Amino acid sequence: MEKRVEFDVSYNLTCKLTLDSGRDIILEQLYQERTYRGLLEGTPNRVANDWGIEHNLSFARKLAGSIGDPYLIAPNRRDYVRVPGDMDQIREDIEKRLGDWEEGLQQRLPEWIPFVCCIGCFTSVKPARDPSKDYSALTVVWYQDDFAMPIDPAIQNELRSLNWNKHATDGEH
């Protein structure tokens, strides 16, 4: 049976995830926004997506409830919006315009990542490394094609396999 984010009676919410290591973590906060919310014209590309990911990581560092550096589950990148080939005409136009400028071409070709950026703040009642601390926490940034809940099953698999002790930050109440 596949493990998913489960209902936790202590919080009366669907917020508990059991990691492969056996550690239970609680989703304390979930922030979401459309990945391309500010894109008014044009087509996203590697440069724009890299900038957007860095922007979202920076935003995650500043969220209330976030401690330590956020962990990124790298988004799947694709050269189409919805179905393979739907960007072929745009790709051809860019290739004609940029010609032999190979480096610029590779950075400017259409590239899409999933449509929703999710930032989840998770906590555990056990510290990750320092037993003198009260708890541990980790903010995770990921991308999926629709708003949660539910969290995309592939993302849940990534979350369950997280090395919590390596990435989480210990804290005090």
Side-chain angles (χ1 to χ4, degrees), residues 11 13 43 57 127 142 162 170:
Y11 302 97
L13 295 170
T43 305
L57 287 167
W142 73 87
L162 270 174
D170 292 328

Side-chain angles (χ1 to χ4, degrees), residues 99-116:
D100 293 331
W101 190 42
E102 184 65 29
E103 182 179 330
L105 177 63
Q106 292 307 314
Q107 293 177 354
R108 301 297 178 195
L109 291 176
E111 178 189 88
W112 296 84
I113 60 177
F115 296 111
V116 178

Side-chain angles (χ1 to χ4, degrees), residues 5 11 13-17 24-31 119-124 138 140 142 148-149 151 159:
V5 176
Y11 302 97
L13 295 170
T14 300
C15 62
K16 181 177 87 172
L17 185 66
D24 287 337
I25 60 173
I26 300 297
L27 177 61
E28 300 284 352
Q29 179 178 346
L30 179 61
Y31 174 85
I119 303 172
C121 296
F122 295 89
T123 60
S124 171
L138 180 63
V140 181
W142 73 87
M149 297 293 268
I151 296 173
L159 288 168

